[in-house]
Amino acid sequence: MITNEFWLDRWKTGRIGFHQEGVNPKLIEFWPVLPKGSRVLVPLCGKSNDMIWLAEQGYEVTGVELSSLAVIQFLGDNDLAFSTHQDGNLKVHTVDGLPLRIVEGDYFEFNENNFDACYDRAAMVAMPDSKRSDYVTHTLERLSPSATVLLVSLEYDGDKQGPPFSVTEQSVVDLWGSEIQKIASENLAQTNPSYKEQGHSIFKESVWRIHPE
């Protein structure tokens, strides 16, 4: 069962293989040019440095993360000064000198809306099937009607159970709607031997975008 306690324990015990050092190359390659000051939501952000990159592009970035340990490590690793205030059950950490906030707490209790964009590298695939539809609905409710979404999904074969979970391409469209378009895809099992060693012949990472014209 994937619960909040599951994720808190993963951070506590350092089992965070999902964390990527540096900035995700697919973010740099595929993020659309948006007006400066656009509000960007990063659900289940962990301690991803992708948020630093987005803030440095001039966007107002809000990451939401359950684990206080992840938040502390992100702020500490990047030597960021910040101020904190309580907002109901959520703690809001506002970074000095960068347009960046980390909201600490349960994503499903985060109810701000009218974000101009959403970046999801490892949030949807962290959700078990039973919670995935609720996650996508909650995320879309946070966005303006004309918002951009950049999403990374995984689909794989073999006996592995997530997280990260395998999500079929049809499921992505069913969840996010027909406006979402696949813009890139790569079978990592062909380029990275570790996936083959784990028993995968397919470990496909796809990039999707909702980008209103």
Side-chain angles (χ1 to χ4, degrees):
M1 184 69 178
I2 309 296
T3 61
N4 285 354
E5 287 68 31
F6 170 89
W7 289 111
L8 293 171
D9 185 65
R10 287 284 290 260
W11 280 98
K12 194 182 298 182
T13 56
R15 291 178 295 134
I16 53 169
F18 48 84
H19 173 68
Q20 288 185 345
E21 297 293 343
V23 178
N24 188 333
K26 290 182 170 62
L27 170 63
I28 297 170
E29 183 174 358
F30 295 113
W31 186 258
V33 176
L34 301 175
K36 301 290 186 190
S38 294
R39 300 176 67 231
V40 179
L41 174 64
V42 186
L44 283 60
C45 62
K47 56 176 183 175
S48 171
N49 286 320
D50 294 349
M51 293 185 289
I52 300 280
W53 185 87
L54 285 164
E56 287 175 343
Q57 310 313 302
Y59 304 123
E60 301 276 343
V61 180
T62 298
V64 185
E65 172 54 43
L66 177 68
S67 168
S68 60
L69 199 55
V71 174
I72 290 164
Q73 289 179 11
F74 173 77
L75 296 167
D77 290 351
N78 291 289
D79 200 23
L80 298 171
F82 62 95
S83 58
T84 299
H85 73 271
Q86 195 80 26
D87 183 6
N89 291 329
L90 305 173
K91 278 185 185 175
V92 182
H93 308 277
T94 303
V95 173
D96 298 345
L98 271 179
L100 173 58
R101 299 181 304 157
I102 307 295
V103 178
E104 179 188 330
D106 188 325
Y107 179 59
F108 290 98
E109 294 188 25
F110 176 74
N111 291 311
E112 289 183 27
N113 51 25
N114 283 321
F115 284 89
D116 302 300
C118 173
Y119 172 58
D120 177 342
R121 180 191 75 79
M124 181 191 70
V125 296
M127 289 285 165
D129 189 46
S130 60
K131 291 186 73 173
R132 203 170 295 141
S133 177
D134 290 344
Y135 161 76
V136 174
T137 298
H138 186 73
T139 300
L140 290 172
E141 287 172 351
R142 309 279 70 76
L143 306 181
S144 74
S146 60
T148 292
V149 174
L150 188 69
L151 168 77
V152 180
S153 71
L154 296 173
E155 184 175 0
Y156 53 78
D157 60 0
D159 298 328
K160 172 184 165 63
Q161 299 295 312
F165 293 98
S166 178
V167 183
T168 66
E169 293 187 2
Q170 187 58 53
S171 291
V172 173
V173 175
D174 291 345
L175 288 163
W176 290 91
S178 57
E179 286 189 8
I180 199 161
Q181 302 292 326
K182 187 171 71 168
I183 55 176
S185 193
E186 179 184 3
N187 184 4
L188 301 178
Q190 292 180 340
T191 56
N192 188 328
S194 67
Y195 292 104
K196 279 195 171 178
E197 290 164 10
Q198 293 168 28
H200 301 295
S201 58
I202 299 169
F203 201 98
K204 186 164 63 172
E205 184 179 66
S206 298
V207 182
W208 303 76
R209 192 159 68 196
I210 299 174
H211 189 39
E213 296 304 328

